[in-house]
Amino acid sequence: QVQLVESGGGLVQAGGSLRLSCSASISTASSKAIGWYRQAPGKQRELVARISDSTNYADSVKGRFTISRDNAKNTVYLQMNSLKPEDTGVYYCNVNRWDRWGTLVDYWGQGTQVTVSS
């Protein structure tokens, strides 16, 4: 019954901004790591931003994107500024945490489409 639901995607012109949200039915506070990934058509899924022991970003988004979380609401955010056409893709929320048997498990949302036009 674990659910991660992304929202906030859409169509935006280059230079614009969007904020993605991921609402989780599980605790983000107790998670090993939380993050955002994206996948462009015909390409593999890639890391965009992640919070674990530290915060890290893909080189292509450094200085433009910011990942954050509200543990009280079990929600993860991705603020995206100065968007470029190459940012276009489906963005997925990811939560990595221990299950009841002590095994690390990845949970994924259904994805939200982000399209940046020229």
Side-chain angles (χ1 to χ4, degrees), residues 4 6-7 14-15 19 23 26 37 41-42 46 50 54 70 79-80 82 85-86 89 103-104 112:
L4 278 63
E6 300 97 334
S7 62
R19 189 174 83 152
S23 179
I26 55 177
Y37 295 73
E46 65 175 350
R50 181 198 293 139
S54 61
D70 185 340
Q79 178 66 47
M80 305 185 294
S82 301
E86 49 263 45
T103 302
L104 282 171
T112 185

Side-chain angles (χ1 to χ4, degrees), residues 36-39 44-49 58 60 86:
W36 287 93
Y37 295 73
R38 69 186 180 190
Q39 186 169 20
Q44 294 185 340
R45 189 177 302 175
E46 65 175 350
L47 172 70
V48 176
S60 61
E86 49 263 45

Side-chain angles (χ1 to χ4, degrees), residues 3 28 33 35 45 59 62 72 82-83 86 98 108-109:
Q3 295 185 18
T28 56
R45 189 177 302 175
D59 289 340
K62 287 181 179 178
S82 301
L83 283 162
E86 49 263 45
W98 303 98
W108 296 91

